[in-house]
């Protein structure tokens, strides 16, 4: 082999060996450093004396880590200066190390403290910030000791070799982390131990904390809970004058659930606006989230500097500490002394801080209990009292009336007019926003001690306290009516409403002492207000009660009528205006009551809808109509149809078409003999379901009529969208027909619109020959009304088929 190549190979092997040795040396140093760091952590764990901790740290850094020289500077209590508390190496010989002012000093240690970041100078000769002691070094590394962003100390290391600390910053920063944890432990332990030792409260403190943790809150007697808190605190610290302040972030009010003071008195029911926090002593603790220990002179100075203002009589000493939950200040615990001989020290502050967190835990249990109780007794949407709480408030009113017979219990029952339209047209979210806005408006009309409750849906109730006459109540009702007659502005909508109100009184003129009965009477009066045109208030009277009883009886009788098939159908002929041929009949429900006699549909159909019985009536009508068709179509050759009116609620059911087709199948009646009449509202309520139902019915051979056209939406767009067969013009348009054709623009437009959409047209309510002639001239296909015949019983209607 070439000698030169052999030499190169030997050199490469030598370099590799040297590199391996260098890597091994580096790994050994790292292992040694980690061992030293672990040893330091273990040693510090067992040490409880702070001076020993300081010295152990600098010795380990200086000797075990071979950093030569290390000093530890501790931050002063006010955070403005650094004091060297330990040193190892030649710098330990510098006995008179001056106090370092963090903001004024130009040293590297001060720079590290200000920046709270590691500062490294590889060559101190090139940096003016280096301060040499008895021995000058050429390299310096300063690392901050931090706890949750707060500076505790600074570790400062120096070495005679330039750039010696290159790459060692992470190691010293780990030492700083270990030291930070130990300093935190020492500080916490020191505070507790000092308080315990100085006050000799070890056993007493344990007992107090146990007592606080065991406190039970009684919602009916809340003062007992706070009195026990006061008693326990008073056993640890002078607390003759003791109070707890809480701030409600939702209501933005300050209140004092407990206030015991020898000179002042604040009711737990008294609330203060948030502005008081800007100047008061209690507000200062809230704002700064820091405890305040002050004497009379300091309070005067703070007042002069306009930092805060002490309300009421000035104490000699004042001590307030915040207590927190989830990093938010929940409240403030305060003790104060009017006796110059009874002062507070730092130890008192530390103790009260410690106890305050246990008070916070006890109060959190109270808050949870209060929230659960509040949720059980309040409406989730409006945060108003619910029915359960309202009933209890009324019962309390009756209790007061038993003691004071002149006391008046006044209950108002409120129902928003046409609220369902808001939900149906704008959606339930807007409806909920509207209810919240209405609740706020109602609150403005009442006094603080009155009770406003939401009973459910759009129904509210009011208990008026401290009223004496019906006139007093009427004034409040008038105020409410006026307030709710104004437009309600939401984010994107301007809504108009009114309210129907029923009022019932329990006073010396009424023989009533029952909560449920009083509310029932108010409810009856509210329905009377609805019947009287809405937007008004009515006081309960005995006549209303009689009508309510009749109303209830009618409800029961409607259900009986369905069960006993008391309803019957009458049939009004539909006539071809060109040929006078009977095309079919509209089936109209009639109720011949066994006692009342004939009951008009307008008297029972709305009530049936309110009771949820309209669906059953719809199917009853279809069943009766199909049965009648089955008799007629087999006996008479004349083609005809029978149309039945169906409510929107039934038509929007997914199973409606199936139910109708099943009835036809069971009776073996051809589908073309039956037609379904629906109103515009039935189409709009659930558009997609309406389309599906119409398609099912028409596919089976039934026809679908649009009834009362012109009284609802009268929209060309949905007429085009739905596949209908017949358009029926409402009788209100027919009644206004003029003698000259050109004077009937509306009817003419409706007929022309129907023809364009290839719909047949039926005119309702034809009562004279002029109306018949004009409609025929305008191209209307057919009509019905008294000019031809009224709705006839089946035995008379059959004559029209002959």
């Amino acid at each position: 082999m070439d000698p030169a190549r052999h030499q190169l190979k030997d050199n490469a092997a030598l370099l590799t060996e040297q590199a391996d040795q260098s890597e091994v040396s580096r790994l050994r140093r790292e292992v040694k450093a980690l061992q030293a760091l672990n040893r330091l952590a273990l040693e510090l764990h067992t040490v409880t004396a702070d001076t020993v901790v300081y010295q152990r740290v600098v010795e380990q850094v200086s000797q075990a880590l071979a950093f030569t020289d290390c000093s530890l500077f501790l931050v002063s209590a006010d955070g403005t200066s650094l004091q060297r508390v330990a040193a190892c190496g030649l710098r330990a010989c510098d006995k008179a190390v001056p106090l370092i002012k963090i903001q004024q000093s130009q040293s590297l240690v001060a720079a590290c403290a200000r920046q709270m970041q590691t500062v490294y100078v590889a060559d101190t000769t090139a940096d003016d910030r280096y301060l040499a002691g008895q021995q000058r070094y050429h390299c310096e590394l300063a690392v901050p000791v931090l706890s949750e962003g707060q500076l505790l100390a600074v570790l400062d290391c120096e070495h005679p070799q330039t750039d010696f600390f290159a790459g060692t910053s992470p190691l010293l920063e780990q030492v700083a982390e270990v030291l930070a944890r130990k300093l935190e432990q020492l500080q916490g332990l020191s505070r507790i131990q000092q308080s315990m030792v100085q006050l000799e409260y070890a056993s007493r403190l344990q007992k107090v904390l146990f007592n606080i943790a065991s406190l039970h809150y009684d919602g009916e007697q809340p003062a007992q809970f706070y009195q026990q808190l006061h008693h326990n605190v008073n056993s640890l610290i002078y607390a003759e004058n003791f109070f707890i302040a809480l701030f409600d972030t939702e209501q933005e009010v300050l209140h004092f659930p407990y206030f015991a003071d020898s000179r002042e008195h604040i009711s737990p029911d008294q609330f203060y606006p948030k502005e008081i926090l800007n100047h008061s002593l209690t507000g200062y603790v809230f704002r700064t989230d820091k405890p305040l220990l002050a004497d009379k002179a300091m309070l005067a100075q703070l007042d002069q500097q306009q930092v805060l203002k002490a309300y009421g009589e000035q104490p000699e000493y004042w001590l307030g500490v915040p207590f927190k939950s989830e990093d938010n200040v929940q409240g403030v615990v305060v003790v104060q002394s009017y006796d110059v001989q009874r002062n507070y020290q730092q130890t008192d502050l530390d103790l009260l801080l410690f106890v305050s967190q246990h008070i916070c835990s006890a109060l959190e249990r109270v808050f949870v209990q209060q929230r659960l109780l509040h949720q059980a007794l309040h409406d989730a949407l409006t945060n108003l009292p619910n029915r359960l709480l309202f009933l209890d408030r009324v019962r309390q009113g009756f209790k007061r009336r038993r003691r004071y017979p002149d006391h008046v219990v006044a209950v108002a029952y409120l129902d928003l007019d046409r609220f369902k339209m808001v939900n149906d047209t704008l959606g339930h979210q807007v409806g909920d926003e509207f209810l919240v806005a209405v609740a706020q408006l109602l609150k403005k009309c009442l006094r603080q001690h009155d009770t406003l409750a939401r009973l459910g849906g759009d129904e509210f109730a009011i208990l008026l306290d401290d009223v004496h006459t019906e006139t007093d109540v009427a004034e409040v009702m008038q105020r409410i009516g006026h307030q709710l007659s104004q437009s309600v502005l939401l984010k994107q909508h301007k809504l108009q409403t009114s309210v129907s109100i029923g009022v019932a009184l329990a006073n010396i003129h009424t023989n009533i002492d029952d909560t449920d009965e009083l509310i029932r009477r108010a409810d009856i009066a509210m329905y009377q207000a609805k019947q009287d045109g809405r937007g008004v208030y009515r006081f309960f009277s005995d006549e209303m009660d009689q009508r309510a009883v009749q109303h209830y009886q009618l409800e029961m009788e409607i259900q009986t009528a369905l069960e006993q098939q008391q309803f019957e159908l009458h049939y009004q002929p539909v006539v071809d205006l060109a040929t006078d041929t009977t095309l079919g009949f509209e089936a109209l429900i009639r109720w011949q009551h066994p006692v009342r006699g004939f009951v008009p549909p307008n008297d029972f159909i709305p009530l049936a809808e309110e009771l949820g019985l309209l669906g059953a009536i719809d199917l009853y009508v279809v069943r009766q109509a199909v049965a009648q068709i089955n008799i007629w179509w087999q006996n008479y050759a004349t083609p005809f149809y029978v149309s039945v009116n169906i409510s929107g609620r039934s038509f929007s059911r997914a199973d409606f078409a199936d139910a109708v087709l099943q009835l036809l199948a069971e009776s073996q009646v051809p589908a073309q003999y039956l037609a379904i009449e629906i109103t515009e509202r039935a189409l709009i309520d659930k558009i997609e379901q309406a389309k599906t139902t119409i398609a099912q019915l028409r596919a089976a051979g039934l026809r679908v009529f649009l009834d009362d056209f012109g009284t609802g939406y009268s929209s060309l767009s949905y007429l085009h969208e739905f596949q209908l067969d017949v358009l029926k013009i409402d009788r209100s348009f027919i009644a206004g027909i003029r003698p000259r054709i050109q004077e009937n623009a509306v009817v003419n437009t409706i007929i022309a619109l129907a023809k364009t959409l290839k719909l047949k047209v039926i005119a309702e309510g034809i009562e004279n020959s002029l109306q018949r002639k004009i409609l025929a001239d305008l191209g209307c296909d057919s009509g019905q009304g008294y000019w031809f015949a009224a709705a006839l019983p089946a035995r008379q209607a059959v004559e029209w088929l002959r």
Side-chain angles (χ1 to χ4, degrees):
M1 178 183 293
D2 184 357
R5 293 179 61 188
H6 183 75
Q7 183 63 39
L8 289 173
K9 184 176 181 181
D10 290 343
N11 290 341
L14 180 60
L15 290 173
T16 301
E17 181 178 354
Q18 291 175 347
D20 292 342
Q21 291 176 353
S22 175
E23 179 65 16
V24 170
S25 297
R26 185 186 66 78
L27 290 174
R28 286 176 177 172
R29 287 196 301 273
E30 289 185 3
V31 170
K32 182 178 180 182
L34 291 173
Q35 289 175 341
L37 184 62
N38 185 53
R39 187 164 56 253
L40 173 62
L42 292 174
E43 289 181 2
L44 293 184
H45 182 70
T46 60
V47 177
T48 57
D50 50 5
T51 55
V52 177
V53 170
Y54 305 153
Q55 196 59 35
R56 289 279 178 86
V57 170
V58 297
E59 287 175 357
Q60 286 291 334
V61 172
S62 180
Q63 298 171 6
L65 300 182
F67 278 18
T68 301
D69 196 299
C70 180
S71 299
L72 176 63
F73 294 84
L74 211 61
V75 177
S76 62
D78 59 7
T80 61
S81 60
L82 293 166
Q83 176 69 54
R84 195 182 76 168
V85 294
C88 187
L90 293 177
R91 277 297 179 111
C93 300
D94 296 337
K95 300 300 184 182
V97 177
L99 195 70
I100 298 175
K101 295 293 185 180
I102 295 176
Q103 297 302 327
Q104 289 79 29
S105 175
Q106 300 300 316
S107 67
L108 290 170
V109 173
C112 173
R114 284 194 299 272
Q115 301 170 14
M116 289 198 289
Q117 294 180 348
T118 299
V119 175
Y120 176 48
V121 176
D123 185 359
T124 59
T125 61
D127 197 314
D128 295 338
R129 295 176 296 176
Y130 178 73
L131 300 178
Q134 296 179 4
Q135 174 72 29
R136 183 178 184 88
Y137 291 100
H138 292 87
C139 183
E140 185 170 358
L141 173 64
V143 172
V145 180
L146 303 172
S147 172
E148 296 183 354
Q150 182 181 0
L151 183 69
L152 302 180
V154 174
L155 275 171
D156 183 54
C157 296
E158 299 179 72
H159 198 275
Q161 179 181 331
T162 302
D163 202 22
F164 174 80
F165 295 118
T168 62
S169 297
L171 184 59
L172 194 60
E173 288 170 353
Q174 292 184 50
V175 174
E177 288 186 15
V178 173
L179 178 58
R181 302 289 83 77
K182 187 61 182 179
L183 292 179
E184 291 172 354
Q185 180 186 4
L186 288 177
Q187 290 177 353
L189 183 62
S190 174
R191 284 194 297 269
I192 297 175
Q193 288 178 340
Q194 287 176 11
S195 299
M196 300 278 281
V197 170
Q198 290 176 3
L199 300 173
E200 298 179 354
Y201 279 173
S203 60
R204 195 182 307 173
L205 178 61
Q206 182 178 7
K207 180 180 179 181
V208 165
L209 297 182
F210 177 79
N211 289 342
I212 291 175
S214 304
L215 288 180
H216 173 70
Y217 180 81
D218 184 350
E220 295 185 356
Q221 296 179 316
Q224 289 186 358
F225 172 83
Y226 291 105
Q227 287 169 357
Q228 292 178 63
L229 271 181
H230 184 188
H231 174 75
N232 281 280
V233 173
N234 198 38
S235 68
L236 296 174
I237 187 174
Y238 173 66
E240 179 184 354
N241 308 298
F242 170 88
F243 66 84
I244 293 176
L246 300 174
F247 183 69
D248 189 328
T249 54
E250 292 185 1
Q251 303 293 329
E252 294 189 331
V253 291
L254 178 73
H255 69 111
F256 301 84
Y258 184 78
F259 194 98
D261 194 275
S262 58
R263 309 285 179 89
E264 309 265 350
H265 175 70
I266 296 179
S267 169
D269 297 326
Q270 191 169 351
F271 293 85
Y272 298 88
K274 64 178 180 179
E275 286 73 21
I276 200 172
L277 296 179
N278 297 332
H279 304 291
S280 66
L281 286 167
T282 305
Y284 178 84
V285 178
F286 267 109
R287 295 195 314 272
T288 62
D289 187 14
K290 294 179 180 178
L292 176 64
L293 172 59
D295 57 16
K296 199 168 189 175
M298 181 178 177
L299 293 176
Q301 181 181 359
L302 292 172
D303 183 73
Q304 185 178 6
Q305 295 172 350
Q306 296 184 346
V307 174
L308 51 81
K309 177 178 178 60
Y311 291 87
E313 184 171 346
Q314 298 295 304
E316 294 292 337
Y317 300 97
W318 195 92
L319 173 58
V321 300
F323 54 85
K324 302 169 67 174
S325 174
E326 298 180 356
D327 296 329
N328 295 318
V329 178
Q330 295 287 97
V332 175
V333 177
V334 176
V335 292
Q336 55 186 2
S337 170
Y338 298 103
D339 185 352
V340 71
Q341 303 298 323
R342 297 271 197 170
N343 64 339
Y344 298 112
Q345 304 294 334
Q346 180 65 36
T347 52
D348 299 313
L349 188 154
D350 295 337
L351 180 64
L352 195 58
L353 268 174
F354 183 66
V355 174
S356 70
Q357 294 310 310
H358 292 77
I359 292 176
C360 181
S361 298
L363 288 175
E364 281 185 332
R365 296 195 304 272
V366 171
F367 298 154
V368 169
Q369 186 175 342
Q370 288 178 331
R371 281 196 297 271
L372 292 174
L373 182 62
H374 183 88
Q375 292 171 3
L377 297 177
H378 288 77
D379 172 55
L381 177 64
T382 61
N383 204 33
L384 295 176
N386 59 15
R387 181 183 294 272
L388 189 63
L389 180 55
F390 184 76
L391 290 174
D392 182 70
R393 296 276 175 87
V394 178
R395 292 189 191 101
Q396 296 301 322
F398 274 113
K399 286 182 180 179
R400 287 192 296 273
R401 187 167 181 272
R402 293 185 193 109
R403 287 184 294 171
Y404 309 102
D406 291 341
H407 182 80
V408 176
V409 182
V411 168
Y413 205 107
L414 295 78
D415 186 90
L416 298 181
D417 299 325
R418 295 174 294 276
F419 173 73
K420 185 175 184 299
M421 186 177 297
V422 176
N423 271 345
D424 291 345
T425 56
L426 300 178
H428 287 275
Q429 182 175 350
V430 175
D432 287 347
E433 293 175 4
F434 182 59
L435 288 173
V436 172
V438 167
Q440 296 302 318
L441 292 175
L442 290 173
K443 281 184 179 179
K444 293 180 181 179
C445 302
L446 304 176
R447 299 159 299 178
Q448 186 175 1
H449 48 274
D450 295 330
T451 298
L452 170 65
R454 182 186 178 212
L455 304 184
D458 61 341
E459 294 182 343
F460 296 84
I462 296 172
L463 171 65
L464 296 178
D465 198 12
D466 195 25
V467 290
H468 304 286
T469 65
E470 187 173 299
T471 303
D472 296 337
V473 179
E475 289 178 358
V476 179
M477 298 305 108
Q478 290 168 3
R479 195 159 58 240
I480 291 173
H482 175 72
Q483 184 72 263
L484 290 191
S485 67
Q486 310 299 314
S487 298
V488 178
L489 298 177
L490 302 180
K491 295 176 182 177
Q492 299 176 346
H493 303 280
K494 181 178 181 181
L495 303 178
Q496 192 76 36
T497 189
S498 61
V499 62
S500 298
I501 308 174
V503 183
L505 304 178
N507 54 25
I508 58 176
H509 303 295
T510 58
N511 184 24
I512 179 174
D513 192 26
D514 181 77
T515 297
D516 293 335
E517 174 61 19
L518 186 65
I519 293 176
R520 186 189 74 85
R521 293 185 176 189
D523 190 19
I524 290 172
M526 184 272 291
Y527 274 102
Q528 184 63 49
K530 288 278 189 187
Q531 294 175 8
D532 290 349
R534 304 173 185 265
V536 296
Y537 67 91
R538 293 289 182 265
F539 283 90
F540 172 82
S541 66
D542 292 336
E543 291 78 9
M544 292 180 189
D545 197 16
Q546 294 172 3
R547 286 194 294 269
V549 171
Q550 294 173 356
H551 185 82
Y552 176 73
Q553 290 176 343
L554 187 59
E555 291 179 5
M556 300 299 101
E557 290 168 358
I558 290 175
Q559 298 187 46
T560 302
L562 274 172
E563 295 169 0
Q564 299 180 359
Q565 297 187 357
Q566 294 176 6
F567 296 115
E568 62 182 48
L569 298 186
H570 285 199
Y571 302 87
Q572 186 171 43
V574 178
V575 178
D576 188 310
L577 297 183
T579 65
D580 283 337
T581 303
T582 299
L583 302 177
F585 302 90
E586 179 181 0
L588 299 170
I589 191 169
R590 296 292 183 262
W591 185 12
Q592 193 64 34
H593 193 280
V595 177
R596 298 173 184 263
F598 175 71
V599 180
N602 289 341
D603 286 355
F604 69 85
I605 291 297
L607 183 57
E609 183 175 12
E610 185 180 320
L611 295 172
L613 296 175
L614 204 51
I617 289 178
D618 286 337
L619 287 179
Y620 179 92
V621 170
V622 173
R623 186 179 295 105
Q624 295 296 320
V626 169
Q628 191 61 61
I629 293 170
N630 192 26
I631 296 173
W632 284 347
W633 84 278
Q634 296 184 55
N635 296 327
Y636 302 95
T638 306
F640 69 94
Y641 69 85
V642 174
S643 64
V644 294
N645 294 279
I646 299 299
S647 67
R649 179 173 297 181
S650 294
F651 198 75
S652 62
R653 289 176 57 92
D655 60 351
F656 173 73
D658 292 335
V660 172
L661 297 178
Q662 182 178 352
L663 288 174
L664 288 171
E666 291 173 354
S667 299
Q668 297 183 342
V669 170
Q672 65 267 24
Y673 282 89
L674 182 66
I676 302 295
E677 292 194 20
I678 54 174
T679 62
E680 298 173 75
R681 184 61 178 274
L683 297 178
I684 300 302
D685 277 349
K686 292 185 179 180
I687 292 178
E688 295 305 319
Q689 182 57 52
K691 288 180 182 178
T692 301
T693 302
I694 291 173
Q696 288 179 280
L697 294 173
R698 297 185 80 244
L702 281 81
R703 288 184 296 168
V704 180
F705 295 3
L706 183 60
D707 194 17
D708 298 337
F709 184 78
T711 61
Y713 298 91
S714 305
S715 171
L716 176 61
S717 61
Y718 77 73
L719 277 181
H720 179 72
E721 188 174 354
F722 292 100
Q723 297 298 315
L724 303 168
D725 296 287
V726 174
L727 190 67
K728 299 188 73 171
I729 305 176
D730 187 68
R731 66 181 62 249
S732 61
F733 295 100
I734 307 304
I737 280 182
R738 309 293 295 172
R740 300 173 61 185
I741 292 180
Q742 58 269 32
E743 293 177 338
N744 300 286
V746 174
V747 176
N748 189 22
T749 301
I750 294 175
I751 294 172
L753 171 63
K755 296 298 183 182
T756 302
L757 296 174
K758 299 182 179 179
L759 299 175
K760 294 291 185 180
V761 181
I762 298 175
E764 296 182 303
I766 299 176
E767 297 184 356
N768 55 57
S769 60
L770 175 63
Q771 293 171 347
R772 183 193 185 288
K773 181 178 184 305
I774 295 296
L775 287 167
D777 292 342
L778 289 173
C780 182
D781 298 297
S782 54
Q784 62 185 93
Y786 290 138
W787 176 251
F788 303 107
L792 305 170
R795 63 183 179 277
Q796 297 178 21
V798 72
E799 299 296 330
W800 288 76
L801 294 178
R802 293 178 178 174

